[in-house]
Amino acid sequence: VTDLRGKGNAMKLSDLARYFAPERESISGTYRNYTIYSSAPPVSGGAELVARLNLLEQSPAPSRTGKRYTDDPASLHAALSAWFLVPSSRNRIADPAMWPVDVAPIVNKDTARLRWRCFDANKALTPASVRGDTLPCLPKAVAPAAAPAKPSGAPDVVPTAESPAGESPCGDEHAAEMTVCHAAGTTSFAVADNEGNAVSVTQTLGTWGGNFYVTPGLGFLSNDKLTSYGTDATQYGSRLPFARHGSTLAPTIAYKNGKPFFAVGAAGNAWITSAVYQTLLGALDYNLGPQAALELPRYLPSGGGAPGAVAGTPVPYTLQLEDGFSPTVIARLRALGYDINFVSLPGELREGYGAAVRIDGKVVTAGADPRRTGAAGAITGTKK
């Protein structure tokens, strides 16, 4: 405090004395034969992950085909549709100590079954077709009568083709007014032991290096997470004293037969949710080990706006793809109506930075994402 106040910061000793780490119940759900636990509010990543898996569960298990989504257009199209059909968490998830938060409509299985009626095996969804809570893509006979009630003080958000959920250009970890994004400000790791305990941790400094300042003698970088809040104090989830910020972090543990089976987390801002989602699919649907699951080529959907789009025609979703998807999959995606944007050179992987461990009884295997320098290893020794 002495150091920060000497630099003009408003921090007081009473502010730090008042701070504590709250223990909150994880967001939980089921996916096929697994139970999923992930991050709790004010983080939105856990609720969105569970909602996405609820939706994908409405489609046949990809393992029946024997092909991964990199080689099976139907599996990839279903996984993408589940991504787009997740109910928006904007203006619904914030610090539960300061605003009303109800994740039940987001993670509800009935919500998933209803929204999955928009799925068309022969046609890609568009930003316009999933706009708002009433879902224009739903048949009129099953469309919800009205949107869920909005928390008091929450502003109206009007999605656009370029930003389907009113999201900021830097992803949910940054305030809407931010126009410059930096990567590599987040660290994620997973640990397990041979007694069946598992931990998944994701910690963020905000932008790369946080604010690049270390108080002498303390040894840690300070973050710059004030950019994670909106600045209008009248809005839901805004920047207020003692409010805890939201993010898309999604450290997750999957249970099998009541015991931890697979722990995963990821860094990379907008890529966090895609990295966790797709690594989990590799582990749970394709029975891949943690290293192989992390090395699956990834995709990140974005809000459309394809160059040269014809006026009056639906703007398609754009898919950022790493190298490694089969030509058959690429051709089918284009035929379904997706716009494709390759973001890596041949053989290059660059979307998100994950860490994962798998627990099989007393055997633990670990994986490190090749997209960022890291390592997986084991510590052995005798108890004292």
Side-chain angles (χ1 to χ4, degrees), residues 101-180:
V101 174
D102 183 10
V103 300
I106 299 173
V107 302
N108 186 277
K109 295 279 190 183
D110 289 335
T111 299
R113 281 188 282 269
L114 175 65
R115 296 176 75 89
W116 191 250
R117 297 188 189 187
C118 282
F119 175 71
D120 186 336
N122 296 304
K123 185 179 180 182
L125 293 162
T126 66
S129 68
V130 298
R131 180 170 296 161
D133 291 309
T134 55
L135 286 183
C137 56
L138 278 177
K140 298 301 180 184
V142 298
K150 186 175 54 181
S152 176
D156 291 322
V157 177
V158 180
T160 64
E162 293 73 27
S163 182
E167 35 192 57
S168 85
C170 302
D172 283 345
E173 282 195 32
H174 294 266
E177 63 269 23
M178 290 292 291
T179 57
V180 179

Side-chain angles (χ1 to χ4, degrees), residues 277-311:
Y277 178 51
Q278 290 148 49
T279 302
L280 272 178
L281 295 188
L284 307 186
D285 279 343
Y286 308 122
N287 197 32
L288 298 179
Q291 189 62 47
L294 287 168
E295 291 182 5
L296 275 174
R298 293 182 187 146
Y299 51 85
L300 177 64
S302 59
V310 179

Side-chain angles (χ1 to χ4, degrees), residues 182-271:
H182 301 281
T186 305
T187 301
S188 193
F189 62 87
V191 181
D193 65 19
N194 65 359
E195 295 182 356
N197 301 299
V199 176
S200 179
V201 174
T202 306
Q203 176 266 356
T204 183
L205 293 173
T207 52
W208 179 76
N211 62 13
F212 297 95
Y213 185 74
V214 177
T215 292
L218 296 186
F220 60 84
L221 284 159
S222 295
N223 69 59
D224 60 357
K225 292 301 292 180
L226 286 178
T227 59
S228 293
Y229 307 79
T231 55
D232 185 341
T234 66
Q235 293 189 356
Y236 184 82
S238 60
R239 185 184 303 165
L240 294 175
F242 304 106
R244 297 171 189 268
H245 68 81
S247 74
T248 56
L249 306 183
T252 300
I253 300 178
Y255 277 59
K256 182 179 181 181
N257 298 325
K259 298 179 180 180
F261 171 70
F262 195 84
V264 61
N269 206 331
W271 297 331

Side-chain angles (χ1 to χ4, degrees), residues 337-384:
Y338 294 105
D339 180 58
I340 306 297
N341 177 26
F342 291 101
V343 295
S344 65
L345 298 173
E348 180 188 26
L349 302 175
R350 55 173 291 183
E351 289 203 348
Y353 319 101
V357 293
R358 173 171 166 160
I359 307 98
D360 294 292
K362 289 187 172 294
V363 177
V364 177
T365 52
D369 203 320
R371 297 163 181 84
R372 176 184 279 185
T373 54
I379 299 174
T380 60
T382 58
K383 291 183 179 180
K384 294 182 179 179

